[in-house]
């Protein structure tokens, strides 16, 4: 298959014409080879920087030329953090799904951890890491990576756990009756079954990673000032200096990186994951990706795969198969294992108890004023978050329904909204602030705008999806009975999109609480802008190294988020699943 | 008789209930699978036949008793068996070939040998050419062929099949059944016995050398006989029809003992009908009245049909004409019997006087008749009615009835019993049920209110969706 036409008018075509011996199928190989060299160069550079001596406050350059390297560093951090998250997800999800006793503790724990904002982990993680690797840049780097990890991992773990729990009984029985080894079960059943959920959650997590990046590449901890070269610190530095050009360039770079990631990573992965869909018939418009086609067509990569991965996979498969046929399930309960478990349980309980007592002591040391202030902040942030949700819902519901009911509009609007959504709102904060200060609004207003920018997209996407899912016959029924206007919204549209709306609002609400930390407290032109709020309290406490206050505020936020989830969202989910489900 | 491959001695299966008691699903049973036979296990839905299959194949453990494999108790080592599932249970992300290779991979067979055996088996079931296809590209029949190939590739000693043709359309099922039989009769199957669970009586009589009919609550063997008809069997032959009729009778009239039509030529009793240990097990079995899972619409439909036929019809002919399996027909018949609309006799179903009146009535009259019948014969509806009448606010939470049912049934069964009771009770206008608040309210009280509100057109849309209508605020 020769696609000569597509190269015409592009200078590569001339190169192509001069190299008649180069086969079409080799072009992907050449590109892949180039990619390999680039990767190697990057590894060397990073190694040089990371294992170099500790430079606590790297001067962050605002030069345009520094941007590609910074973007590279940031991307690397996100990638490593993502790899860690994936590893953690697999282990945590697996244990929670298969050990009923552990499950009872692990799933509520996940709920709580999910509601703790990234910044609250910052002081502890950073100090521990710096202490672990004194005199090396590695410590701060690892700290930043761990923080990004805490922003990414929870929803992935939950998705994997939920997937494992929903594997059909028949499929499990087939694996048992055909004596699948542990490894075969994992690679041929459990991992493929969870693949699609994991991919979508990975996308969300990495988007969340950009947000965490803004926070943890550059921060003050008590008297110490930490800076890491990266896109986040670049934007922060530019914002502090009020350098609009640099801010815009920084944002442009970030958008470029996000678009590239989308094209080169997520599209191919989504297209590839299509084969893991558990469906009985083939869907007509499956997602495609030109990068995936390129990779799959590369004969060089295919032969590498044939020589390395295939035999390795085969060896592993047979190794575990033989091991599992050899081993006789020794049903003799070893008493020492029982004792070990008991001891472990007692130790864990003791650890938890100690933690609770310490936390209580710290909290009792708090001043009444501080508590009062925190409570006030909680109220302010609560109102702000919900106001942002309300405003978001007010415009996204009509807009989303309009888009969803009109397929042509949907085709144009959806990709645009997707790009808009993947830009972290925090990166835009400086621009918004500049604007608002010019027209005279303070951070109180700006923070709501930031929350809105960060969260409304989830609602919009879900509303679009919901509107598209409303069956045509119901719509036709409405027009036959002349149900119009408010009546149509009440009877058809709102009930129809309700389950989707709830999903969108839940995600948005969680995101908004997390974003409040950045939105309510901001360094700008050497000045600190702040407004009353729990997020501001947490940021302030981190800045000044006031751990007592940090702990108190964090606990308050986590408790609020968990309580709201239990009392409001879970109920609404229940309603969505029973009363508002459109059965097919 | 040759040495059995699998033997179940005094097995029994029960599940613990939240309140500490146990619900028995498989009653005390002895059972064996001999080589060289296709054994069919027949029973209505939910009677525990799948559970029995899973116990025999070693997938799940009996609560008491033991399974012997060639005389040795089934312990750590898993026996060489395979299962063909009703839902196929293929891995959608593996190609046809990979799906068939997977069990060999699990046994540590090397790649070359694996491929050879998988290809050979695919060839046997007629799937050559489809090796690289994914299951979703295949039709249901082709998928089940993959299921067969995957089972046969391990050369199982006993091939277990759990309703393998139920998910297929009639023609495809017929075709696949024929091919299976052909492979078996020509000794092309690398397996020495087949154990097939089904609810299709004809399927069993076509295929099996031995048929076992299970009764339910808990599952126990009601009849067990060898089929002496020679292969290929003719569906139209008198003996075939007689045998089918006999099984119908056994399944539809659980309390009557029937004799095989012609013990000389058609069948040979392995175990007499109802002749298994009748010892009362120490574990409580359900004594509460069980509602058959039939909807009012189905009941009314059957009564009308019978009325059109002059009030009496042969069961077998009825099911053939309706293209309904016994599995689907049986609960409706039971419901008609329970309500006193019809009774069964000698494989025929006969409409009662009440049934005739019901068939003749208009919508309102039917409701009244149904209500009378329900309040007379259905325990739980009687209970609900009397409680609602006695309570001052004429309403009660559904939790109460869940609790009553919980004592007698397993969790799933409770839900089904409850749903059926709600369906009947709402139709009979004994009560109104608001699923969201979980409250049952006596109908007369509500009726006065609902009559005034004119039905909004929008509610039609909701009703079309077959969900609970949105109550007006």
């Amino acid at each position: 298959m020769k696609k000569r036409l597509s190269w015409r008018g592009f200078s590569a075509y001339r190169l192509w014409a001069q190299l008649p011996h180069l086969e079409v199928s080799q072009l992907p190989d050449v590109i892949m080879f180039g990619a390999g060299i680039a990767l190697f160069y990057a590894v060397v550079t990073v190694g040089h920087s990371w294992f170099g001596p500790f430079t606590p406050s790297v001067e962050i350059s605002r030069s345009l030329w520094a941007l590609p390297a910074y973007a590279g560093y940031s991307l690397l951090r996100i990638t490593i953090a993502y790899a860690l998250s994936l590893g953690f997800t697999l282990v945590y999800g697996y244990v929670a799904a298969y050990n009923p006793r552990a499950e009872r503790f692990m799933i509520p724990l996940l709920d709580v951890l999910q509601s703790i904002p990234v910044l609250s982990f910052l002081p502890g993680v950073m100090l521990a890491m710096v202490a672990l690797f004194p005199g090396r840049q590695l410590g701060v780097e690892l700290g930043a990576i761990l923080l990004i990890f805490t922003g990414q991992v929870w929803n992935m773990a939950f998705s994997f756990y939920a997937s494992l729990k929903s594997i059909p009984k028949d499929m499990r029985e087939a694996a048992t009756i055909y004596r699948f080894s542990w490894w075969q079960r994992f690679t041929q059943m459990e991992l493929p079954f969870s693949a699609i959920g994991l991919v979508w959650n990975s996308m969300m997590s990495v988007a969340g990673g950009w947000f965490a990046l803004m926070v943890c590449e550059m921060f003050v901890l008590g008297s110490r000032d930490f800076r890491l070269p990266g896109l986040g610190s670049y934007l922060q530095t530019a914002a502090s200096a009020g350098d609009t050009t640099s801010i815009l360039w920084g944002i442009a770079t970030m958008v470029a990186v996000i678009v590239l990631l989308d094209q080169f990573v997520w599209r191919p992965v989504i297209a590839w994951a299509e084969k893991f869909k558990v469906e009985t018939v083939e869907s007509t418009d499956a997602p495609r990706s030109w990068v995936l086609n390129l990779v799959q067509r590369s004969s060089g990569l295919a032969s590498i795969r044939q020589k390395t991965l295939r035999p390795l996979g085969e060896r592993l498969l047979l190794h575990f198969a033989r091991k599992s046929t050899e081993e006789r399930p020794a049903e003799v309960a070893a008493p020492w294992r029982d004792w070990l478990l008991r001891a472990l349980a007692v130790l864990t309980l003791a650890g938890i108890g100690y933690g609770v007592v310490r936390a209580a002591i710290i909290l009792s040391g708090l001043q009444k004023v501080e508590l009062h202030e925190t409570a006030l902040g909680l109220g302010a942030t609560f109102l702000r978050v919900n106001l942002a949700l309300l405003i978001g819902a007010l415009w996204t519901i009509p807009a989303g329904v309009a888009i969803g009911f009109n397929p042509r509009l949907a085709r144009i609007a959806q990709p645009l909204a997707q790009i808009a959504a993947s830009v972290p709102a925090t990166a835009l904060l400086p621009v918004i602030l500049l604007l608002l200060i010019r027209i005279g609004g303070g951070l109180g207003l700006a923070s709501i705008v930031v929350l809105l920018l960060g969260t409304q997209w989830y609602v919009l996407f879900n509303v679009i999806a919901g509107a598209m899912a409303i069956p045509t016959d119901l719509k036709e029924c409405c027009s036959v009975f002349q149900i119009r206007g408010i009546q149509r919204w009440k009877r058809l549209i709102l009930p129809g999109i309700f389950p989707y709306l709830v999903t969108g609002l839940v995600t948005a609400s969680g995101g908004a609480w997390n974003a409040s930390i950045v939105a309510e407290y901001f360094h700008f032109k050497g000045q600190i802008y702040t407004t009353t709020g729990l997020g501001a309290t947490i940021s302030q406490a981190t800045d000044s190294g006031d751990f007592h206050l940090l702990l108190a505020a964090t606990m308050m936020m986590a408790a609020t988020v968990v309580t709201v989830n239990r009392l409001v969202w879970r109920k609404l989910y229940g309603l969505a699943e029973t009363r508002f489900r459109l059965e097919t | 008789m040759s040495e059995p491959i699998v033997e179940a001695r005094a097995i029994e299966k029960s599940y613990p209930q939240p309140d500490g008691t146990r619900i028995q699903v498989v009653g005390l049973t002895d059972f064996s699978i001999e080589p060289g036979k296709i054994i069919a296990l027949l029973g209505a839905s939910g009677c525990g036949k799948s559970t029995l299959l899973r116990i025999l194949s070693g997938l799940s453990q009996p609560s008491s008793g033991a399974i012997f494999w060639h005389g040795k108790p089934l312990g750590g080592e898993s026996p060489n068996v395979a299962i063909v599932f009703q839902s196929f249970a293929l891995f959608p992300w593996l190609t046809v070939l990979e799906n068939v290779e997977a069990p060999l991979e699990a046994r540590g067979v090397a790649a070359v040998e694996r491929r050879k055996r998988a290809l050979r088996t695919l060839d046997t079931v007629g799937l050559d050419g489809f090796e690289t296809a994914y299951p979703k590209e295949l039709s249901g029949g082709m998928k089940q062929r993959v299921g067969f190939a995957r089972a046969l590739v391990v050369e199982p000693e006993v091939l277990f099949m759990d309703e393998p043709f139920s998910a297929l359309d009639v023609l495809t099922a017929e075709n696949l059944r024929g091919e299976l039989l052909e492979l078996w009769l020509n000794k092309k199957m690398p397996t020495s016995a087949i154990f097939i669970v089904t609810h299709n009586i004809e399927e069993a009589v076509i295929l099996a050398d031995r048929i076992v009919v299970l009764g339910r609550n808990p599952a126990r063997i009601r009849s067990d006989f060898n089929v002496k008809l020679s292969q290929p069997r003719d569906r139209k032959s008198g003996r075939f029809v007689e045998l089918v009729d006999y099984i119908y009778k056994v399944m539809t009239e659980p309390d009557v003992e029937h004799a095989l039509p012609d013990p000389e030529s058609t069948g040979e009793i392995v175990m007499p009908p109802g002749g298994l240990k009748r010892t009362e097990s120490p574990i409580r079995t359900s004594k509460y009245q069980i509602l058959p899972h039939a909807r009012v619409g189905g009941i009314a439909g059957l009564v009308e049909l019978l009325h059109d036929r002059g009030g009496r019809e042969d069961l077998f002919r009825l099911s053939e004409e309706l293209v309904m399996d016994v599995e689907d027909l049986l609960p409706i018949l039971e419901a008609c019997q329970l309500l006193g609309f019809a009774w069964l006799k000698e494989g025929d179903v006969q409409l009662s006087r009440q049934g005739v009146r019901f068939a003749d009535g208009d919508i309102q009259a039917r409701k009244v008749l149904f209500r009378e019948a329900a309040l007379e014969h259905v325990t739980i509806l009687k209970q609900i009615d009397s409680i609602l009448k006695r309570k001052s606010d004429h309403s009660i939470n559904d939790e109460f009835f869940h609790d009553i049912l919980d004592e007698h049934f397993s969790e799933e069964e409770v839900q089904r019993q409850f749903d059926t009771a709600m369906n009947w009770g709402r139709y009979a206008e004994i009560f109104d049920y608001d699923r969201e608040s979980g409250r049952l309210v006596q109908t007369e009280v509500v009726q006065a209110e609902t009559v005034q509100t004119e039905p909004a057109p929008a509610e039609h849309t909701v009703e079309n969706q077959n969900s609970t209508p949105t109550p007006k605020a």
Side-chain angles (χ1 to χ4, degrees), chain A residues 29-68:
Chain A
D29 290 345
V30 174
I31 296 172
M32 290 299 151
F33 183 66
I37 292 179
L39 193 71
F40 179 70
Y41 170 75
V43 169
V44 172
T45 320
V46 168
H48 191 69
S49 147
W50 281 20
F51 293 96
F54 181 49
T55 35
S57 49
V58 194
E59 212 38 58
I60 301 296
S61 159
R62 267 189 282 140
S63 146
L64 206 59
W65 296 111
L67 268 174

Coordinates of all heavy atoms in Angstrom, one line a residue, chain A residues 29-68:
Chain A
D29 N 9.8 2.1 11.2 CA 11.0 1.7 11.9 C 12.0 2.8 12.1 O 12.5 3.0 13.2 CB 11.7 0.6 11.1 CG 10.9 -0.7 11.1 OD1 10.0 -0.8 12.0 OD2 11.1 -1.6 10.3
V30 N 12.1 3.6 11.0 CA 13.1 4.8 11.1 C 12.6 5.7 12.2 O 13.4 6.1 13.1 CB 13.1 5.5 9.8 CG1 14.0 6.8 9.9 CG2 13.7 4.6 8.7
I31 N 11.3 6.0 12.2 CA 10.8 6.9 13.2 C 11.0 6.3 14.6 O 11.4 7.0 15.5 CB 9.3 7.2 13.0 CG1 9.1 7.9 11.6 CG2 8.7 8.0 14.1 CD1 7.7 8.0 11.2
M32 N 10.7 5.0 14.7 CA 10.9 4.4 16.1 C 12.3 4.4 16.5 O 12.6 4.6 17.7 CB 10.4 2.9 16.0 CG 8.9 2.8 15.8 SD 8.0 3.6 17.2 CE 6.5 4.1 16.4
F33 N 13.2 4.3 15.6 CA 14.7 4.3 15.9 C 15.0 5.7 16.4 O 15.7 5.8 17.4 CB 15.5 3.9 14.6 CG 17.0 3.9 14.9 CD1 17.5 2.9 15.7 CD2 17.8 4.8 14.3 CE1 18.9 2.8 15.9 CE2 19.2 4.8 14.5 CZ 19.7 3.8 15.4
G34 N 14.6 6.7 15.7 CA 14.8 8.1 16.1 C 14.3 8.3 17.6 O 15.0 8.9 18.4
A35 N 13.1 7.8 17.8 CA 12.5 7.9 19.1 C 13.4 7.3 20.2 O 13.5 7.8 21.3 CB 11.1 7.3 19.1
G36 N 14.0 6.1 19.9 CA 14.8 5.4 20.8 C 16.0 6.3 21.2 O 16.4 6.4 22.4
I37 N 16.7 6.9 20.2 CA 17.8 7.8 20.4 C 17.5 9.0 21.3 O 18.1 9.3 22.3 CB 18.4 8.3 19.1 CG1 19.1 7.1 18.4 CG2 19.5 9.4 19.4 CD1 19.6 7.5 17.0
A38 N 16.3 9.6 21.0 CA 15.9 10.7 21.8 C 15.6 10.3 23.2 O 16.0 11.0 24.2 CB 14.6 11.3 21.2
L39 N 15.1 9.1 23.4 CA 14.8 8.7 24.8 C 16.1 8.5 25.6 O 16.2 8.9 26.7 CB 14.0 7.3 24.7 CG 13.4 6.8 26.0 CD1 12.2 7.7 26.3 CD2 13.0 5.4 25.8
F40 N 17.1 7.9 24.9 CA 18.4 7.7 25.5 C 19.0 9.0 26.0 O 19.5 9.1 27.1 CB 19.3 7.0 24.6 CG 20.7 6.7 25.1 CD1 20.9 5.8 26.1 CD2 21.8 7.4 24.7 CE1 22.1 5.6 26.7 CE2 23.0 7.2 25.2 CZ 23.2 6.3 26.2
Y41 N 19.0 10.0 25.1 CA 19.5 11.3 25.5 C 18.8 11.9 26.7 O 19.4 12.4 27.6 CB 19.3 12.3 24.3 CG 19.6 13.7 24.7 CD1 20.9 14.1 24.8 CD2 18.6 14.6 24.9 CE1 21.2 15.4 25.2 CE2 18.9 15.9 25.2 CZ 20.2 16.3 25.4 OH 20.5 17.6 25.8
A42 N 17.5 11.7 26.7 CA 16.7 12.2 27.9 C 17.1 11.6 29.2 O 17.3 12.2 30.2 CB 15.2 12.0 27.6
V43 N 17.3 10.3 29.1 CA 17.7 9.5 30.3 C 19.0 10.1 30.9 O 19.2 10.3 32.1 CB 17.8 8.0 30.0 CG1 18.4 7.3 31.2 CG2 16.4 7.4 29.7
V44 N 20.0 10.3 30.0 CA 21.3 10.8 30.4 C 21.2 12.1 31.1 O 21.7 12.4 32.2 CB 22.3 10.8 29.2 CG1 23.6 11.5 29.6 CG2 22.6 9.4 28.7
T45 N 20.4 13.0 30.4 CA 20.3 14.4 31.0 C 19.7 14.3 32.4 O 20.1 15.0 33.3 CB 19.4 15.2 30.1 OG1 19.7 14.9 28.7 CG2 19.6 16.7 30.3
V46 N 18.6 13.6 32.5 CA 17.9 13.5 33.8 C 18.8 13.0 34.8 O 18.8 13.5 36.0 CB 16.6 12.7 33.6 CG1 16.0 12.3 35.0 CG2 15.6 13.4 32.8
G47 N 19.5 11.9 34.5 CA 20.3 11.3 35.5 C 21.4 12.3 36.0 O 21.6 12.4 37.2
H48 N 21.9 13.1 35.1 CA 22.9 14.1 35.4 C 22.3 15.0 36.5 O 23.0 15.4 37.5 CB 23.3 14.8 34.2 CG 24.4 15.7 34.4 ND1 25.7 15.2 34.6 CD2 24.5 17.1 34.4 CE1 26.5 16.2 34.7 NE2 25.9 17.4 34.6
S49 N 21.1 15.5 36.3 CA 20.5 16.4 37.1 C 20.1 15.8 38.5 O 20.4 16.3 39.6 CB 19.3 17.0 36.5 OG 18.3 17.3 37.4
W50 N 19.5 14.6 38.5 CA 18.9 14.0 39.7 C 20.0 13.6 40.6 O 19.8 13.7 41.9 CB 18.0 12.8 39.3 CG 16.7 13.3 38.9 CD1 16.4 14.5 38.4 CD2 15.5 12.5 38.9 NE1 15.1 14.5 38.1 CE2 14.5 13.3 38.3 CE3 15.2 11.2 39.2 CZ2 13.2 12.8 38.2 CZ3 14.0 10.7 39.1 CH2 13.0 11.5 38.5
F51 N 21.1 13.0 40.1 CA 22.1 12.5 41.0 C 23.1 13.6 41.3 O 24.1 13.3 42.0 CB 22.6 11.2 40.5 CG 21.6 10.1 40.5 CD1 20.9 9.8 39.4 CD2 21.3 9.5 41.7 CE1 19.9 8.9 39.4 CE2 20.4 8.5 41.7 CZ 19.6 8.2 40.5
G52 N 22.9 14.8 40.8 CA 23.8 15.9 41.1 C 23.5 16.3 42.6 O 22.6 15.8 43.2
P53 N 24.4 17.2 43.1 CA 24.3 17.6 44.5 C 23.0 18.4 44.7 O 22.4 18.9 43.7 CB 25.5 18.5 44.7 CG 26.0 18.9 43.3 CD 25.6 17.8 42.4
F54 N 22.6 18.6 45.9 CA 21.4 19.2 46.3 C 21.4 20.7 46.1 O 22.3 21.4 46.6 CB 21.1 18.9 47.7 CG 19.8 19.5 48.2 CD1 18.6 19.3 47.5 CD2 19.8 20.2 49.4 CE1 17.5 19.8 48.0 CE2 18.6 20.7 49.9 CZ 17.4 20.5 49.2
T55 N 20.6 21.2 45.3 CA 20.5 22.7 45.1 C 19.1 23.1 45.5 O 18.2 23.0 44.7 CB 20.8 23.1 43.7 OG1 20.2 22.1 42.8 CG2 22.3 23.2 43.4
P56 N 19.0 23.5 46.7 CA 17.6 23.7 47.3 C 16.8 24.8 46.5 O 15.6 24.6 46.4 CB 17.9 24.2 48.7 CG 19.3 24.6 48.8 CD 20.1 23.9 47.7
S57 N 17.4 25.8 46.1 CA 16.6 26.7 45.3 C 17.2 27.0 44.0 O 18.0 27.9 43.8 CB 16.4 28.1 46.1 OG 17.7 28.5 46.5
V58 N 16.9 26.1 43.0 CA 17.3 26.3 41.7 C 16.7 27.6 41.1 O 15.6 27.9 41.4 CB 16.8 25.1 40.8 CG1 17.5 25.1 39.5 CG2 16.9 23.8 41.5
E59 N 17.5 28.3 40.5 CA 17.0 29.6 39.9 C 16.1 29.1 38.7 O 16.6 28.4 37.8 CB 18.1 30.5 39.4 CG 17.8 31.9 39.5 CD 17.0 32.3 40.7 OE1 17.4 32.0 41.9 OE2 15.9 32.8 40.5
I60 N 14.9 29.5 38.7 CA 14.0 29.1 37.6 C 14.1 30.1 36.5 O 13.7 31.3 36.8 CB 12.5 28.9 38.1 CG1 12.4 27.9 39.2 CG2 11.6 28.5 36.9 CD1 12.8 26.5 38.8
S61 N 14.5 29.7 35.4 CA 14.7 30.7 34.3 C 13.3 31.0 33.7 O 12.4 30.1 33.6 CB 15.6 30.1 33.3 OG 15.4 30.7 32.0
R62 N 13.2 32.2 33.2 CA 11.9 32.6 32.6 C 12.1 32.6 31.0 O 11.3 33.1 30.3 CB 11.4 33.9 33.1 CG 10.4 33.7 34.2 CD 9.7 35.0 34.6 NE 10.6 35.8 35.4 CZ 10.6 37.1 35.2 NH1 9.9 37.7 34.3 NH2 11.4 37.9 36.0
S63 N 13.3 32.2 30.6 CA 13.6 32.2 29.2 C 12.7 31.2 28.4 O 12.4 30.1 29.0 CB 15.1 31.9 29.0 OG 15.2 31.2 27.8
L64 N 12.4 31.6 27.2 CA 11.6 30.7 26.4 C 12.3 29.4 26.1 O 11.6 28.3 26.0 CB 11.3 31.4 25.1 CG 10.0 31.1 24.4 CD1 8.8 31.3 25.3 CD2 9.9 31.9 23.1
W65 N 13.6 29.5 26.0 CA 14.4 28.3 25.6 C 14.4 27.2 26.7 O 14.7 26.1 26.5 CB 15.8 28.7 25.2 CG 15.7 29.5 24.0 CD1 16.1 30.9 24.0 CD2 15.3 29.2 22.7 NE1 15.8 31.4 22.7 CE2 15.4 30.3 21.9 CE3 14.8 28.0 22.2 CZ2 15.0 30.3 20.6 CZ3 14.5 28.0 20.8 CH2 14.6 29.1 20.0
A66 N 14.1 27.7 27.9 CA 14.1 26.7 29.0 C 12.9 25.8 29.0 O 12.8 24.7 29.6 CB 14.2 27.4 30.4
L67 N 11.8 26.3 28.3 CA 10.5 25.6 28.4 C 10.5 24.1 27.9 O 10.0 23.3 28.7 CB 9.5 26.4 27.6 CG 8.7 27.4 28.3 CD1 7.8 28.2 27.4 CD2 7.9 26.7 29.4
P68 N 11.1 23.8 26.8 CA 11.1 22.4 26.4 C 11.7 21.4 27.5 O 11.1 20.4 27.8 CB 11.9 22.3 25.1 CG 11.8 23.7 24.6 CD 11.7 24.6 25.8

